[in-house]
Amino acid sequence: MAKTTIVHDYNHPQPGSTSTFTLDEKIQHAILQNGIERPKGYTVSYHGNPAVERQHFGERHPMKPWRLTLTNKIVLAYGMQEAMDLYLSRAATNQELTEFHTEDYIEFLQRAIPDKFLDYAQDGSFNIGDDCPIFDGVYPYATLCAGASLDAARKLTSHQSQIAINWSGGLHHAKKSEASGFCYINDIVLAILQLLRHHPRVLYVDIDVHHGDGVEQAFWSTDRVMTLSFHKYCKESFFPGTGPLDSTGPPNPSNPGAHHALNVPLHDGIEDDQYTRLFADIVGPCVAAYRPTAIVLQCGADSLGGDRLGCFNLGIKAHGACLAFVKTFGLPTLVLGGGGYTPRNVARLWAYETSLCIGAEVYDQLPAHTPFLEYFEEDGRSLFPPLGQFKRYTNLNTPKYLASLVAGIREQLRYLEGSPSVQMQHIPPDLGPVREEVDEEIRREREEEEAGRRKLERGRGARGELY
């Protein structure tokens, strides 16, 4: 009988040539292929908590926290995590929440239960209803979103990051004592209050299709914050029905907030070129006149074409161009999510904008190892599908109308007499020590959990495998 070789030399195939490669190897290949590396000269941090993604507003509700899962999977598939500092955020504490919200409202959210939803809706308790239902986990959901934005803001103020991202944030409709527009806690207001402890002036820019009414209302009477919202406006038929061009702050010129609330009301169907040109023509002069020391950018994805609740014709690259323009100012920037009700397009957009934050040029095609890739099959697995062609709106924004918006905003900027004084408004004391105590308690709990996990896994092979 002829002898056969029992042991053969094994030539390890190149990454991507076989499906037997581990996910980590595929991601490493994507990192090399897309040139992912840490940005030079600045640091980007990425904040969130996966517990947010598991929450569910209801089967028919348009808000789908699962869009964050899709976003994170694309970010990880491209390997962008290698270019950022990643932070697992915790829930905001009651003390942090009541820096803006009323105690009775926060106490209500804590004790509210789904079984009493109809009672809350009928008596009008804190604006609870179809838009803002009470679902199981609503309080952890809202406080985790807020905690991530607070953590991101603190990384900016401590100079640990120059760009901080929280896609679970950007919930701009929540008011001081009530929920509104799918938003329960206004994480943006809380984060800006944190920034104001270190920054004399903060510029807030909102590119959600809906008016950033909650943030504007919160800072209506201060010159420490300038709010600038680009949105669809129709008082009678489009939520929230606020934000006309002539709404610029308190009418009394002696009020510090006069001329510091700027609105860019748009009509249906605005196109890519129009939007990006308008954005630059307005944001540039605002930065020059107001001279902010930090910027907060709300990147609501419902301004994309084809959104379930939107009415613009914007593509992903045009939306991202707004973020890229803000980045050119080189100021500490907090980047937040917001609206967006077609999850696969929300995920595409926020993953792309993450790549802009780290300065990476990613391939158009989603990596083949991206989880849930079947959700993107309809659009050919592209990161940049032609969104404006799927559900197209007639463009009602004439060049003359857009020029009038630019002129109107620049007229308001003429009223700014230099930079506002840091002493004009009281800002609450820093909550750093409070958060540090909570962080230390959480750290000890995690160490105990890790020790218990290691004990259970002893002798079972590799530790910490996810797949």
Side-chain angles (χ1 to χ4, degrees), residues 404-462:
S404 73
L405 295 180
V406 174
I409 295 297
R410 293 188 176 183
E411 177 64 22
Q412 292 303 316
L413 294 177
R414 291 178 59 245
Y415 288 94
L416 300 185
E417 297 179 359
S419 302
S421 167
V422 177
Q423 289 78 30
M424 279 190 169
Q425 182 171 331
H426 170 71
I427 296 299
D430 193 2
L431 292 174
V434 176
R435 291 184 64 97
E436 288 168 4
E437 290 177 8
V438 177
D439 287 340
E440 177 61 23
E441 181 180 344
I442 292 173
R443 185 187 63 78
R444 289 197 298 268
E445 291 177 357
R446 287 177 178 167
E447 286 180 350
E448 292 174 0
E449 291 175 359
E450 178 69 8
R453 183 175 67 82
R454 290 181 179 180
K455 184 177 180 180
L456 288 173
E457 291 179 348
R458 192 170 297 151
R460 294 186 182 179

Side-chain angles (χ1 to χ4, degrees), residues 323-390:
L323 185 150
F325 183 76
V326 169
K327 186 183 172 188
T328 63
F329 296 108
L331 295 170
T333 302
L334 175 59
V335 178
L336 301 172
Y341 308 101
T342 304
R344 64 184 183 276
N345 293 335
V346 176
R348 287 180 166 108
L349 174 70
W350 290 347
Y352 173 59
E353 292 183 335
T354 301
S355 75
L356 293 176
C357 288
I358 63 175
E361 295 185 12
V362 295
Y363 282 170
D364 292 0
Q365 288 297 111
L366 296 173
H369 55 271
T370 305
F372 308 113
L373 198 57
E374 63 272 17
Y375 288 94
F376 305 94
E377 292 285 358
E378 181 181 342
D379 310 320
R381 299 186 180 183
S382 173
L383 187 61
F384 308 111
L387 299 181
Q389 298 178 15
F390 296 143

Side-chain angles (χ1 to χ4, degrees), residues 33-269:
Q33 193 176 38
N34 290 280
I36 304 294
E37 59 181 3
R38 293 187 72 86
K40 293 178 174 61
Y42 67 98
T43 301
V44 179
S45 58
Y46 195 83
H47 305 259
N49 190 306
V52 171
E53 304 166 22
R54 296 193 289 268
Q55 302 304 325
H56 188 55
F57 278 61
E59 183 178 355
R60 296 183 180 275
H61 200 286
M63 176 62 90
K64 306 294 183 186
W66 186 66
R67 63 194 183 150
L68 297 167
T69 301
L70 290 178
T71 301
N72 292 331
K73 295 302 184 184
I74 296 176
V75 168
L76 292 170
Y78 277 111
M80 296 184 218
Q81 69 276 11
E82 295 295 321
M84 302 183 286
D85 293 338
L86 309 181
Y87 292 96
L88 177 66
S89 56
R90 61 162 178 79
T93 66
N94 277 23
Q95 185 173 356
E96 291 165 335
L97 297 174
T98 53
E99 289 299 322
F100 171 61
H101 294 285
T102 60
E103 291 186 6
D104 59 337
Y105 175 54
I106 297 304
E107 289 172 359
F108 167 77
L109 286 180
Q110 282 184 288
R111 70 172 188 271
I113 57 175
D115 290 346
K116 293 186 176 181
F117 168 64
L118 291 179
D119 294 336
Y120 304 144
Q122 289 173 0
D123 64 21
S125 296
F126 303 100
N127 201 33
I128 297 302
D130 290 339
D131 278 1
C132 299
I134 294 299
F135 55 89
D136 189 23
V138 63
Y139 186 71
Y141 164 80
T143 55
L144 282 170
C145 292
S149 290
L150 279 167
D151 186 42
R154 293 181 72 217
K155 292 298 183 291
L156 294 175
T157 58
S158 63
H159 308 294
Q160 292 176 266
S161 301
Q162 283 67 53
I163 300 176
I165 304 169
N166 171 28
W167 294 127
S168 69
L171 306 175
H172 58 174
H173 294 307
K175 309 300 192 299
K176 188 179 184 69
S177 58
E178 67 177 34
S180 178
F182 315 159
C183 306
Y184 300 86
I185 299 295
N186 200 312
D187 64 288
I188 306 171
V189 172
L190 296 174
I192 290 176
L193 287 173
Q194 181 71 39
L195 292 172
L196 288 175
R197 297 186 179 100
H198 299 264
H199 290 277
R201 297 172 301 283
V202 175
L203 173 63
Y204 170 69
V205 183
D206 191 316
I207 55 175
D208 196 289
V209 76
H210 300 96
H211 179 226
D213 59 333
V215 182
E216 179 185 272
Q217 187 181 107
F219 297 109
W220 186 254
S221 295
T222 181
D223 56 0
R224 297 281 307 280
V225 179
M226 173 178 280
T227 60
L228 173 60
S229 179
F230 295 76
H231 53 270
K232 159 69 183 288
Y233 173 69
C234 180
K235 185 176 181 179
E236 292 78 21
S237 62
F238 196 79
F239 180 86
T242 54
L245 180 63
D246 59 2
S247 178
T248 60
N252 186 344
S254 64
N255 189 306
H259 310 293
H260 284 78
L262 305 181
N263 289 292
V264 185
L266 300 167
H267 303 313
D268 288 356

